[in-house]
Amino acid sequence: MEMKNSSKWTPIMDSFLAGTFSGTCSTTLFQPFELLKTRLQMLSANQSRPVGMLRIAVDVVRTESVFALWRGLCPSLYRTVPGIGFYFSALHSLTHHLGSAYPLPAAESMIFGATARSIAALGTIPLSVVKTRYESGVFPYRSVINALSHIYETEGLKGLCRGLSATLLRDAPFSAFYLMFYNQLKFFVHRDGRIQDPNNPSVFFLCGVVAGCLTSVITHPPDVMKTYMQLYPDQFSKMQQTILHILKNDGLRGFFRGLLPRLIRKTLMAAMSWTVYEQAMIFLRIKS
């Protein structure tokens, strides 16, 4: 696959910069939904009576403040911004060197998406643990560095990797299905010919929304397991143990606690990230 590049940086660096910019915008805007999702899953883990997303949002604002909805933003940015940058860089490299055609066939989209996301997840798992604990409101960490230091001192390296298996089980399939759906939808729009400008940002955004909705539902159960394992490591140290606990106490619906806020956040965040990324890449002139 040939790429044109008139940027002063390498294509990989351009991909990283475009990804980090899109990640910063989308993470900041949609952080409240991530916090609400974590709180909903935390209530389920504590076997509390289920409440709705709006009720939790009102309680957070009333008992803490409006700005408390952005609790965990700092570790989210530390994790998401370089994570998305690494993801897009790895994806660009895989597509450029190993891709057989443009647009990517469905199978290649899934393999490249899963591989790129796994690389990003492995590099940012300690910050994912800190982010989840910040959002819970249970752990009195003073800063991200303090949190990382405290977890390492009290739980060791294992503590910094809590929920890694569930994270990979969530993130790799998410990116695999998302990239496949996204590329196939874009290909359909291009082939259909009804839209005069297929590079219009609204086309990227709508393709991203549809792909995000489908993928968020498919990959939500591992997200619930990840939250349990990162918040309550003494109770839920193994994935099998976590699955059995959820099934016993909450049934199958327990695997979909917090789906609505995650659906809103992941769908809009992924759509916005890809829209900003695509436009940035067009601006940097390295898209084919």
Side-chain angles (χ1 to χ4, degrees):
M1 291 173 57
E2 282 192 34
M3 298 282 182
K4 299 175 183 178
N5 185 12
S6 62
S7 171
K8 63 182 180 181
W9 293 301
T10 65
I12 300 300
M13 181 57 70
D14 285 332
S15 298
F16 182 83
L17 292 173
T20 54
F21 177 68
S22 68
T24 301
C25 296
S26 55
T27 300
T28 303
L29 188 59
F30 301 119
Q31 175 61 24
F33 293 107
E34 181 70 3
L35 179 134
L36 295 175
K37 180 215 70 175
T38 298
R39 297 286 177 97
L40 281 166
Q41 293 174 352
M42 187 174 71
L43 287 174
S44 179
N46 290 328
Q47 300 180 35
S48 302
R49 184 175 59 86
V51 295
M53 180 180 73
L54 185 59
R55 170 70 181 277
I56 290 180
V58 171
D59 286 346
V60 169
V61 173
R62 183 185 299 152
T63 59
E64 300 174 56
S65 71
V66 172
F67 297 109
L69 291 170
W70 275 266
R71 184 188 298 276
L73 176 60
C74 189
S76 283
L77 288 172
Y78 280 146
R79 179 187 70 96
T80 305
V81 172
I84 292 180
F86 289 137
Y87 168 72
F88 280 122
S89 298
L91 185 61
H92 176 83
S93 182
L94 289 166
T95 303
H96 179 67
H97 294 292
L98 301 176
S100 61
Y102 185 81
L104 287 175
E108 287 184 18
S109 292
M110 295 186 74
I111 293 169
F112 292 169
T115 303
R117 181 59 69 187
S118 295
I119 292 170
L122 285 168
T124 58
I125 185 63
L127 292 166
S128 175
V129 176
V130 173
K131 178 194 75 70
T132 302
R133 293 187 180 186
Y134 253 95
E135 291 165 353
S136 71
V138 174
F139 298 84
Y141 299 135
R142 297 190 302 274
S143 67
V144 174
I145 300 299
N146 171 252
L148 290 169
S149 175
H150 183 269
I151 293 171
Y152 178 72
E153 289 175 2
T154 57
E155 301 175 48
L157 284 174
K158 186 177 180 181
L160 293 172
C161 297
R162 296 287 184 193
L164 176 59
S165 54
T167 298
L168 290 173
L169 190 61
R170 176 198 65 177
D171 288 358
F174 182 93
S175 290
F177 283 109
Y178 185 92
L179 191 60
M180 185 268 289
F181 287 137
Y182 181 76
N183 281 335
Q184 292 304 304
L185 286 166
K186 281 203 309 177
F187 176 69
F188 174 78
V189 170
H190 280 248
R191 187 183 61 181
D192 187 58
R194 296 182 187 180
I195 298 177
Q196 292 183 346
D197 181 12
N199 287 327
N200 189 295
S202 62
V203 174
F204 297 137
F205 191 81
L206 287 174
C207 289
V209 166
V210 175
C213 284
L214 294 170
T215 312
S216 293
V217 174
I218 294 171
T219 60
H220 192 71
D223 186 75
V224 176
M225 291 185 281
K226 176 195 74 72
T227 300
Y228 277 54
M229 294 171 76
Q230 291 180 343
L231 288 182
Y232 309 105
D234 294 334
Q235 256 183 293
F236 309 106
S237 58
K238 297 180 180 178
M239 193 184 302
Q240 182 181 4
Q241 176 189 20
T242 308
I243 293 171
L244 292 174
H245 176 87
I246 295 171
L247 281 172
K248 180 181 177 181
N249 292 278
D250 221 3
L252 285 175
R253 70 177 183 177
F255 290 104
F256 294 93
R257 292 291 185 199
L259 176 60
L260 181 58
R262 180 170 183 261
L263 188 66
I264 295 171
R265 176 184 174 272
K266 287 295 285 187
T267 297
L268 295 180
M269 185 173 171
M272 184 177 181
S273 292
W274 272 94
T275 301
V276 174
Y277 173 77
E278 297 266 25
Q279 292 301 300
M281 295 292 272
I282 290 170
F283 176 76
L284 293 169
R285 299 180 184 177
I286 70 170
K287 284 285 286 183
S288 58

